[in-house]
Amino acid sequence: MLFILDNNFVLDLIARRSSNFGLQLNLLYFLLDKGYAAISSSQLHNLRYVVMRNYPQYEADYLEIEARLRIIKTPSYVDLNHKLAIIDIEDYLIELSAKACNAKIITSDKQFLANSELAMTPVETFNYLINEHREIEFLSLKRINDKYSVDIEHSIDRVLASGWYLLGNEVKTFEKEYAGYIGTTYCVGVANGLDALRLILRAYKEMGIMHEGDEIIVPANTYIASILAITDNKLVPVLVEPSIETLEINDTKIEVAITPKTKGIMIVHLYGQCAYTEKIGEICKKYNLKLIEDNAQAHGCVYTEPRTRNQEPRKTGSLGDAAGHSFYPGKNLGAMGDAGAVTTNNGELARVVRALANYGSEKKYVNNYQGLNSRLDEIQAAILRVKLNYLDEDNEKRRNVAHYYLENIKHPDIKLPVVTDWNAHVFHIFPILSPRRDALQQYLTENGVQTLIHYPIPPHKQLAYKEWNTLSFPITEQIHNEVLSLPISQVMNTSEIERVVEILNDWRR
Ligand SMILES: *Cc1c(COP(=O)(O)O)cnc(C)c1O
């Protein structure tokens, strides 16, 4: 929620001259505390000018308020023939700013109120806020990106002004920064997470390490993209059951699935939790298998070797031979569109992936491979650079939500996730299990708590893989029947978190 304060609203308060001073003052501080109060950049000079000229004794008061306001952009696309523009150009610019940022306007100016759909009086604003008993959203991407809107606006302007949209400096710099963050030598930006995984396997084929018909071990409960990346390369996915405790691939069931055709293991750090174990590392070494990480859900997750605790902890995405990352908007590090990356320490693999993602070409119009077009673009890279700065802080906030849920949700029909190592979890999803899952989801919906199911149909039951429909993976199927994802994100506030817990604990036993 965002409210632009019209000049008269601010000046009435500064000059203590409004008829309902108390209400306006309360409203102002409520909006400032919530981060909902804004002005358009077009108002700044006029506000400062009037304060200095008419109320110099209150200049400090004004500047204190100004410092806490969000300054939002005034668009360049003005229509000087617009009705409001003809009546009052300043009001018109405020209205344009409000439209651009999906904000409302608070004003006492009768003319502005009469000529704008977005303007409301302070009293109307109060009523609006009281009636706005919001649902607890599963994930508010708008709120997440709003937090960084100034930096994001700046980064998009930079790309716009540069005139360079693909294969430029933003991507190059992001790749360097992200490789540094994950702890690998190489990072290659690609178009999305599915392509990142497809390209890794495709590169191994081009390099002669994998061949059509080779087998790749993959967890049976994962988002379908992990498996699509394998079959797209005409490799054969071999599904392995997860553990019902961690919901990650069960490392004691991997070895029996290995055949002479097995060439790799794709682990998926599902829900934001590290799926890697020492045992998986040992199996890869013993059978000479490539370890590929699907790190779409676990940016920032840290793995600590249990036996060598003082050894430098490593991030998921740097634990195997190569990793695919997705920056789909809803992921912990999310772009504003599709985006992805491959990380690896293998220079040859990075080179082949980069070529494959660019028509199989390393030199313009010279094609060494039958590649595809899967590039990260400059705008997405520029946005990701902004958000990467806050990733650790955001993940910490997710952990705090998870911590509160784990401590306070108490219900005999709800099984909470088991967390053994807090660093090894970034809570992309907070999954609970309940044998009465569908009833629980309906109950939460009725009480204004949005939930989702990750995922309702296991890959082996999908029409896309008809040939597997009769196979049985009882633990995977149990998870798909019982799992429910609670709202979790870096922008949930305390009252929302508490309300989710209260509503859950009140569920009929
Ligand atoms: C999101 C996701 C992907 C695919 O990423 P896209 O960017 O949407 O293509 C792959 N694997 C997992 C586990 C995911 O959650």
Side-chain angles (χ1 to χ4, degrees), residues 192-194 197 222-223 225-226 268 294 296-297 326 328 331 339 455:
N192 55 64
L194 172 59
L197 296 169
T222 178
Y223 181 56
S226 324
V268 182
D294 180 343
Q297 303 192 355
S326 163
Y328 175 81
K331 300 286 158 80
Y455 298 92

Side-chain angles (χ1 to χ4, degrees), residues 373-391:
N373 176 357
S374 177
R375 298 176 299 218
L376 175 63
D377 67 71
E378 290 282 286
I379 286 192
Q380 300 307 333
I383 293 167
L384 288 167
R385 288 183 59 201
V386 170
K387 293 182 72 180
L388 181 58
N389 290 324
Y390 301 98
L391 179 58

Side-chain angles (χ1 to χ4, degrees), residues 191-208:
N192 55 64
L194 172 59
D195 278 1
L197 296 169
R198 284 167 75 199
L199 286 163
I200 291 168
L201 295 170
R202 177 74 194 278
Y204 277 133
K205 285 175 70 188
E206 295 291 349
M207 291 160 73

